[in-house]
Amino acid sequence: MNQTRRGFMGKAFGAVAGVGAVGALYAMKKSWDPLPSVKAAGFTTIDVSACVANKLIVEKWRGKPIFVLKKTAEMVASQNEEQAARDIVVGDDHFMIAIGLCTHLGCIPAYREDKKDFKCACHGGEFDFAGIDTLAPPPSPLVIPPFKITGNSVVLGEEGPEYKKMKESGVIA
Amino acid sequence: MAHFEKANSLNEWLDQRLAVNTLRRVLAKEYWIPKDINFLWAMGMVLAVTFGILLVSGIFLLMYYQPNVATAFDSVNYTIMQEVEFGWLWRHVHAVAASVVFLIIYIHMFTGIYYGSYKKGREMIWISGMLLFVAFSAEAFSGYMLPWGQMSYWAGMVITNLFSLGSLEVNSLVEWIRGDYVPAQAFLDRFFMLHVLLIPLAILALIGIHFGALRIPHVNNQKGEEIDFKVEAEKYKAGNKAASKVIAFANDFMSKDMFVVAVYLLFFFYLVFWHFNFAMDPVNFDPADGLVTPAHIYPEWYFLWSYEILRPFSKDIGLIAFGFAQVIFFLLPFLDRSPNAVPASRRGAFMLWFWIMVVDMIVLTAMGKLPPEGIFSTIGLVAAVVFIALWVALPFITKLEKKC
């Protein structure tokens, strides 16, 4: 066999092996993606009509704790622009709805009704009642999950017009 | 086919087919070890034995452990601990060995640093050793997940969150690693696979490379003396063992190794039978709950120093400092600019560097365990800065070192 034929065989083998390797890596990547059943279970409907002002309710969405806090009239009135921008309004009520995991390392902060703020026991981070970080180490506000308002309920996992608006105005990164 | 004579013994029969005599010669009888080394050089053998213990105890745990989020906790804390005869033994042996193996790894590492055993042709020993350290860290972390207690769950949450890469917020990568939005069934299954198959395979391969890396440069010695192994080996083989600077690995040096191993095993089983609790976190005796965080999340003692480097800074800087701490030890052979492969006690400023590093890592370990408040945070911050500063200073102080 002459050298050009040998070289051709080498390149042909390399090409076949390359295609095989890329295909295998793609399959490996895909098989580690969340399963369809996991993705399908990624929606939660929360009925907020029974909420009591200044009482934190913790729901579960995608395995994560979700903070639902109905704001009192004073809380709504005292809000600055940044805080108000994060309000989720259902009917006449204003809510803070956010994933209840500290944006530092993912602990669950506790709500202090008297101080109207959240305190994370792990590393001392604090958030106000709108979910905005007020004391380091958390680098950013509590995350607002994708939501859609339907009547008295909030569906988590779906992007409604209110959510999209928040996204456009930069409230949600 | 090759021609075979009739074998007169089992050994001869095997030698014809497996070359057992050649293997024995290369691996043991003519593998040369300097005479001038102390018990700290036996830590490699201690580690090999501990890994063997982990493998055997792990196999017995594997027979009753159930990698399912609903049953994992009980399969460990009820079935293995209460029902399986001697299940408690395998669990305590496995847990204590998993903790003690890091103590020995650190001693092994710092012995290497003290005696300069990472330089002048021994770089691959150091690098393969550091790869083993990383593999053992991954093995320890994935094993920590399996009982599916509160610390397992939240350690899994926090560590996988690191892959969102701080402000870059690459949450899709985190979800890909978990196979779910939070640590759940997919997460437990894949970490189970990593713990019992993939990482142990990698560890076995790396141990092979680590041992192989010793063959050409040979092990260092207490004085850092350059030995001509060929000449010394000839003296030994000629029967002049007293004049030779080396001895054979087996059975000569092995006897010393085994003595150290025996003393170590007394200490090890003392821990297994009387102090197994040090390797058990009380928080991990609560089943995993995604809606309740433990008051204070901390890793096992052997990760505390790098955890404390992450903690006192803001998120992104902390992550960079943490990444720095994970990779910087790999670069030691190249950051140390001095050609002297001698004990730190003969190297001037490097000795200071070595002991400050040891003390600093102990301080970081202590602060990592304490709650991050007030003076502890400040000490932790200072210690983390000192750690980074030491590595930045290393090339300069070793460059100034005289050739000795």
Side-chain angles (χ1 to χ4, degrees), chain B residues 31-91:
Chain B
Y31 170 38
W32 307 109
I33 307 286
K35 279 181 184 172
D36 182 31
I37 59 180
N38 59 37
F39 78 98
L40 289 166
W41 267 265
M43 293 305 138
M45 184 58 89
V46 170
L47 282 171
V49 168
T50 310
F51 182 67
I53 290 173
L54 280 165
L55 209 61
V56 172
S57 57
I59 286 169
F60 277 87
L61 291 173
L62 189 52
M63 289 187 253
Y64 286 97
Y65 172 74
Q66 297 177 21
N68 182 299
V69 289
T71 54
F73 186 83
D74 282 342
S75 74
V76 174
N77 289 294
Y78 177 71
T79 310
I80 289 173
M81 289 304 285
Q82 310 283 335
E83 286 201 294
V84 178
E85 286 196 66
F86 289 96
W88 58 270
L89 178 67
W90 302 121
R91 196 213 183 168

Side-chain angles (χ1 to χ4, degrees), chain A residues 29 31-35 38-39 42 59-60 62-65 101 103-108 121-123 139-140, chain B residues 153-154 157-158 161-162 169 175-177 179-182 190 193 290-295 297 307 310-311 315 372:
Chain A
K29 193 270 166 195
S31 68
W32 259 29
D33 277 343
L35 301 175
V38 168
K39 282 185 182 162
E59 296 280 347
K60 204 170 175 178
R62 295 186 178 176
K64 295 173 185 174
L101 296 174
T103 49
H104 179 223
L105 286 174
C107 297
I108 304 174
C122 293
H123 301 114
S140 52
Chain B
Y153 181 92
W154 288 98
M157 181 76 119
V158 169
N161 266 340
L162 292 178
E169 297 280 352
E175 281 163 17
W176 181 69
I177 291 169
D180 205 326
Y181 306 106
V182 288
R190 65 187 59 169
M193 177 283 291
L291 294 185
V292 180
T293 348
I297 295 179
Y307 177 66
L310 165 84
R311 218 166 51 158
K315 196 172 176 180

Side-chain angles (χ1 to χ4, degrees), chain B residues 46 55 62 109 113 121 150 152 186 199 226 235 238 243 251 256 281 283 295 361-362 382:
Chain B
V46 170
L55 209 61
L62 189 52
M109 261 173 80
I113 298 176
Q150 268 292 64
S152 302
I199 304 173
E226 251 185 71
K235 281 190 212 163
N251 299 320
K256 185 172 177 173
D281 196 307
V283 182
M361 285 180 69
I362 292 170
V382 171

Side-chain angles (χ1 to χ4, degrees), chain A residues 71 76-87 130 132 169 171:
Chain A
K71 296 176 181 176
V76 174
S78 72
Q79 289 190 121
N80 61 29
E81 214 172 284
E82 196 191 352
Q83 290 169 315
R86 293 170 57 87
D87 273 2
I132 295 167
S169 60
V171 175

Side-chain angles (χ1 to χ4, degrees), chain B residues 292-324:
Chain B
V292 180
T293 348
H296 177 196
I297 295 179
Y298 48 80
E300 289 291 274
W301 71 267
Y302 39 85
F303 292 143
L304 285 169
W305 68 270
S306 60
Y307 177 66
E308 183 59 21
I309 288 172
L310 165 84
R311 218 166 51 158
F313 301 106
S314 67
K315 196 172 176 180
D316 288 336
I317 297 171
L319 204 62
I320 292 166
F322 182 71
F324 177 87

Side-chain angles (χ1 to χ4, degrees), chain B residues 331-353:
Chain B
L331 300 179
L332 178 61
F334 312 104
L335 292 176
D336 188 333
R337 312 287 296 157
S338 158
N340 302 331
V342 296
S345 57
R346 281 169 49 197
R347 292 182 56 190
F350 181 80
M351 182 171 77
L352 215 56
W353 185 93

